[in-house]
Amino acid sequence: MPQIPHITLLNAADLKVRFNDHEVLQAASLTIHDGHHLGMVGRNGCGKSTFLKILAGWTQPDDGEVIRRSGLVVGFLPQDSDTPADVPVIEAIREGAIHQQKLLDEYESLSADSNRQTELEQQIAASDAWHIETRIKTAMTHLNTPAADRLMGTLSGGEKRRVELCRAIVSNPDLLILDEPTNHLDTDSIEWMAAYLKKFRGAFLVATHDRYFLDETCNHIVELQAGRFFTHKGNYSDYLESSLARMENEQALELKRKRFLRRELDWIRRGPKARTTKARFRVEKFHSIKNTQSPDRELSMDLIIPPPGQLANRVVDLINVGLELGGNELIEGFDFKFESGMRIGICGRNGLGKTSLLKIVLGQLAPSVGSRKAGVLTQFNYVDQERVQLDPEKTLLEEVAEGADSIPFGNGKLAIRAYLQRFGFDPKRINMRVKSLSGGEKSRLLLARILKHGGNFLVMDEPTNDLDLPTLRLLEEALLAFTGCVLVVSHDRYFLNRVCTGIIAFEGSGRVVYNEGDYDYYREKLAERTTRLAKRPGAVQTRVKPSQAGRAKPRKLTWKEKNELEGMEAVILNAEEEVARIEGLFADPKFHSRHGARTNQLTSELEAARIQAASLYARWEELEGIRAASEKP
């Protein structure tokens, strides 16, 4: 049977963009078909964000063209918010579906005998405009956006990011373009976003450093290197294999080219007496191959953290720590002893208190109950989520040097220029101004500026945001080689799995637990606990402080818990539908011919979906139990 060709949604041909003397895109071309789930990777500053803005129509290339299918609806998430400060959150989100709202408004204004009614009904049904409000509510719930009436100017960077992401997806576009969508999202929101994209009916192009996200959602990876695209079929794991094969092939061809040039150069220098046609051909071929550009070599990077000083037997001890802020109990009765060599990851939904725990460890925030004791040799270095701002008018060298020409490094010193080069900054660009850097390059520069201060206890709040994949891998290697103590908040599963020796997890209602091992091991243990809980008939796991047992009035649901309970039915329904979908695949008589190669993957997905459904039921029982107990006379 002949294969049905994919519909072309967009074609970018020979795009060229130059910033001053730096050519970012060099005849970059990419075609996006309906059903393409594309992930984009590449070094910071290579032009990813510029390319995405061109596709979205936000900016124009210096040369080349972008041809879009007539009537193409595009949803776009840029790295930086452009929404005015006085716009409420709900209006900013609805702006993403403005074309659908216009269809509805026109439909409602039609007279009963209008000839356009049928046409409009078809357009509304095709774009699913009838369900705009449902999509908005679902997206806001799962992405944990601020309250609908909040003004954009009052939001933090992370809150704005989640609102912009909602705006991009609520329109149900034909093509979704996302620039670093997982930044500032917690693990639950990232997993919901991944599930959303896996079921997405159109095409999408997403630039992200989140390798788990790329693995879960993409069927093609496009790599932007030296201004051009290389397309790899499959997800991120497949890309690594094919990219390695491509580089090995390029190296083999380059070696063959050099050998040919040596032979021909030797022949030319011997000065053959007879300049026959064949001889002239050899000379011409020599010059042709000599002028062929060799494969681009990316600047070598070896991200380094200054060697830590020795730690005492006591690093930091947390003793029965509890924290209550704004009437919410964030941490209850948490004990932990940090030790040299530990690399501890902190995970959990946004707003549960992860950053507050970091500040307790640092001594910047006093716990409501319990105590924190630090060792006499403990020296902190804090990589803050709201990092120190860079001066756009300063040069890279001025920003990091801060008046010095070297930094302490172990028992010696390291020149600032050499230090910056280890962070991947070309020596030729060290004297350029910060304002010329890409967003990712600025994040790398900030990291270099903060890490130069050393310390033997690194405390890092979302250090992976905006870092490209090569820099992210180097950061992982540097942390693995670090002999002090590391405490890091991150929602990047690959990062947590690769770096961490233990996980501190915020599970809600003040519950904070510690598990040795990586993030996947923690999730495995959480699933076991959740399954046991779900199997207990009628069990309602409301947590009561021992000091309050037998005398306390049943507490009421918090505002967040009320919202969570109200949206729980739809969430449970989605989880059950996912279980039914996968079970349906296994029940298909043609399962082995259609899905046999994915049996292990589908088995894992089914198990995870069942665990998720059981977890949601358990949470629903817990919240219903609290509600019912509080309403008893």
Side-chain angles (χ1 to χ4, degrees), residues 84-87 151-155 160:
D86 59 349
V87 174
L151 298 180
M152 292 294 289
T154 67
L155 306 185
K160 286 180 181 177

Side-chain angles (χ1 to χ4, degrees), residues 446-618:
L446 279 166
L447 201 58
R449 177 174 165 175
I450 295 169
L451 290 179
K452 75 170 186 176
H453 296 295
N456 50 24
F457 194 148
L458 290 181
V459 180
M460 314 179 84
D461 197 353
E462 297 287 1
T464 65
N465 280 350
D466 298 316
L467 294 184
D468 58 28
L469 291 172
T471 307
L472 185 52
R473 287 194 290 267
L474 288 171
L475 176 60
E476 291 168 351
E477 294 292 343
L479 291 177
L480 288 170
F482 187 72
T483 56
C485 190
V486 177
L487 179 63
V488 55
V489 172
S490 180
H491 301 301
D492 188 321
R493 290 181 60 164
Y494 267 80
F495 182 83
L496 293 174
N497 281 333
R498 191 173 184 201
V499 168
C500 295
T501 60
I503 298 293
I504 293 175
F506 281 70
E507 296 183 346
S509 301
R511 179 176 172 80
V512 180
V513 300
Y514 172 71
N515 259 105
E516 289 189 2
D518 61 18
Y519 179 79
D520 281 349
Y521 184 68
Y522 158 69
R523 290 299 293 258
E524 186 180 320
K525 291 300 178 184
L526 173 63
E528 290 177 3
R529 284 191 282 118
T530 303
T531 301
R532 287 197 300 269
L533 178 65
K535 288 180 178 178
R536 293 175 59 183
V540 177
Q541 299 297 314
T542 53
R543 290 160 46 83
V544 181
K545 294 181 182 179
S547 60
Q548 295 177 329
R551 66 173 180 82
K553 180 181 178 180
R555 75 174 182 87
K556 295 182 179 181
L557 290 171
T558 65
W559 180 81
K560 282 189 176 181
E561 287 173 335
K562 286 179 181 177
N563 283 347
E564 184 182 0
L565 182 58
E566 287 175 3
M568 191 68 79
E569 184 177 345
V571 176
I572 290 175
L573 180 61
N574 288 339
E576 290 179 333
E577 287 177 350
E578 179 64 7
V579 171
R581 182 188 69 82
I582 301 174
E583 288 177 341
L585 293 179
F586 279 103
D588 187 346
K590 296 182 180 180
F591 172 81
H592 291 290
S593 62
R594 293 177 176 174
H595 311 288
R598 299 172 57 219
T599 300
N600 291 337
Q601 176 190 343
L602 288 172
T603 300
S604 299
E605 288 181 4
L606 179 58
E607 181 181 0
R610 285 172 173 167
I611 290 172
Q612 173 71 0
S615 174
L616 290 169
Y617 269 115

